[in-house]
Amino acid sequence: MGRLAGVSVMVHSPYVVVIVSPSSGVGKSTLASNLAVYLKGLYEDLPVAYASSDREATSKMFALSNAAAGSFGDLQQRREFAEILAFGEFGVEFCHLDPVAIEQADWLRKVLALTDYDGVLIVDLPNGHGLLSAALCAADLVLAPVKDPSVLGEVVALRKELLAGGGSSDQFWLLPSELGKEGSYQHKDRLLDFLRFAAEERGFQVLEETLVADQQVLELAAEKARPVLTRVRQSRFHLQLQRLAEFILAQRQQQNSYQIRVERWLQDGLIPARARRVELTCPLCSRGVLGAKAHYVESLPARQRIMLHETCLTGLLKDSGAGSFMASAGIFLLKPGGGAAGTSEQCVCRC
């Protein structure tokens, strides 16, 4: 029993949500900062970190007295992710996104893969920011608030950048917004309907939610960089934030997200190529096994290979006599009965 040899990634690296838009004023930063608060509100024990390029707004929203947050640039100086985070209001940790020189877009992904942070990292960036390529390369989920259909070409470019970094179209979601400029589309009353149609024609996944324009939210929360949860809890925007936070948590549990991570880590050399021959999802709990204590199981002569979490296999054998044969090291051989005549299947479990 042990960990897959040659694996460098942490079993609990952060789930990265990038929120970006080609347009200003569509509620991007209000959405991003408030989602951090709502994620923490839904699951108090879930670590949540918020990273933004707007130092002033971030400090107003989250900073406690004497809180000293670092920036992503510090990660290039080999500082640990935990060292650049400052503990802030509502239990949300935060840091800054100052422009830095980037030689390779995958550097942030590699750093975060080696980070033990079993939570959600929300990255709030404007389109064109120097760190955007690195953020998209590391993203597990991308939310793009949009109002004007004429900017969909720029949204297509964002998705292409995600795909170029080893991501998938399944990770990219467009979020219609009532906020911001209406653009050049003539039929203003049908603007959002046309946006949805045009986005789906281009193969985008479009969220059912539409960010509402709420004057109270604007005056009491957004303009003052304060959370909707404490200032405008009776608003429709509050309910939308709840649902969007739940959506993020549901996406985090999707098996597809883990499989994309595995492919990226293989590409980055953080997992040995031979790992492709092994099923890296525990069939007993449907969770990934990389970086965790696990048992290697091989079926002979079919040569099917899987990994089982130590706790999962222990729980499976707990009430059976086979549990007493398990050891902390060695090989455990099972030969199930009931096979067809002339066949013999064996299951080898390396402990």
Side-chain angles (χ1 to χ4, degrees):
M1 184 269 296
R3 297 177 175 85
L4 190 63
V7 174
S8 300
V9 299
M10 297 298 298
V11 65
H12 296 313
S13 56
Y15 183 79
V16 181
V17 181
V18 174
I19 301 181
V20 61
S21 176
S23 306
S24 60
V26 293
K28 174 185 65 67
S29 292
T30 299
L31 172 68
S33 57
N34 276 279
L35 280 175
V37 176
Y38 277 73
L39 285 167
K40 198 66 180 177
L42 286 173
Y43 289 92
E44 186 177 352
D45 294 333
L46 177 72
V48 177
Y50 174 72
S52 170
S53 59
D54 190 335
R55 278 180 171 264
E56 182 179 357
T58 302
S59 296
K60 283 184 178 179
M61 185 81 160
F62 296 111
L64 298 169
S65 59
N66 301 321
S71 73
F72 272 25
D74 297 325
L75 298 176
Q76 291 188 318
Q77 307 304 317
R78 301 191 180 278
R79 287 188 66 187
E80 297 291 333
F81 181 64
E83 294 176 347
I84 71 170
L85 296 177
F87 186 80
E89 294 272 13
F90 322 106
V92 174
E93 298 173 285
F94 67 95
C95 63
H96 304 294
L97 298 175
D98 298 333
V100 296
I102 298 176
E103 294 183 1
Q104 293 182 318
D106 60 2
W107 75 270
L108 179 60
R109 182 173 75 204
K110 291 177 179 178
V111 168
L112 294 178
L114 303 175
T115 296
D116 189 8
Y117 191 84
D118 190 15
V120 177
L121 167 62
I122 294 181
V123 179
D124 172 16
L125 279 173
N127 196 23
H129 191 280
L131 280 170
L132 182 57
S133 294
L136 290 173
C137 198
D140 295 298
L141 177 66
V142 179
L143 299 181
V146 174
K147 180 176 185 178
D148 184 1
S150 68
V151 304
L152 285 178
E154 296 177 65
V155 182
V156 169
L158 290 172
R159 183 176 61 180
K160 283 183 178 178
E161 199 157 5
L162 172 71
L163 298 179
S168 163
S169 294
D170 292 339
Q171 296 174 297
F172 197 105
W173 288 83
L174 188 143
L175 175 60
S177 174
E178 293 179 357
L179 304 165
K181 297 179 180 179
E182 295 177 339
S184 59
Y185 187 68
Q186 295 180 353
H187 303 285
K188 308 301 184 185
D189 57 331
R190 295 187 306 213
L191 178 66
L192 292 177
D193 290 336
F194 179 71
L195 172 65
R196 288 182 177 275
F197 171 78
E200 289 170 357
E201 283 287 298
R202 288 166 172 78
F204 283 108
Q205 299 178 115
V206 184
L207 285 161
E208 293 182 6
E209 297 285 349
T210 297
L211 287 183
V212 296
D214 188 310
Q215 192 63 28
Q216 276 195 319
V217 170
L218 179 64
E219 294 176 356
L220 300 178
E223 290 182 346
K224 297 180 179 180
R226 303 307 300 161
V228 173
L229 184 63
T230 59
R231 295 300 181 96
V232 207
R233 195 166 185 167
Q234 74 282 5
S235 66
R236 285 174 57 196
F237 201 73
H238 161 72
L239 297 176
Q240 289 186 320
L241 288 167
Q242 276 189 322
R243 290 191 290 266
L244 288 169
E246 289 167 352
F247 169 76
I248 289 174
L249 294 175
Q251 291 294 306
R252 182 173 178 245
Q253 299 303 318
Q254 292 290 325
Q255 182 59 30
N256 184 46
S257 176
Y258 174 72
Q259 292 170 343
I260 293 171
R261 282 184 162 207
V262 169
E263 285 300 317
R264 283 171 159 176
W265 293 335
L266 283 163
Q267 176 184 330
D268 294 339
L270 300 175
I271 304 174
R274 65 180 182 276
R276 292 187 184 276
R277 302 195 296 264
V278 184
E279 175 56 55
L280 298 176
T281 302
C282 174
L284 299 179
C285 68
S286 299
R287 293 183 293 113
V289 298
L290 288 175
K293 292 183 178 180
H295 296 281
Y296 171 78
V297 181
E298 185 171 333
S299 175
L300 302 174
R303 304 291 289 183
Q304 293 178 323
R305 304 173 178 91
I306 62 172
M307 299 284 286
L308 301 176
H309 286 116
E310 174 193 11
T311 52
C312 292
L313 185 58
T314 300
L316 180 68
L317 301 178
K318 180 175 63 175
D319 298 324
S320 70
S324 61
F325 291 92
M326 293 297 293
S328 58
I331 293 178
F332 183 41
L333 176 65
L334 297 175
K335 186 174 182 179
T343 64
S344 178
E345 284 282 342
Q346 296 178 339
C347 182
V348 179
C349 177
R350 189 178 302 277
C351 303

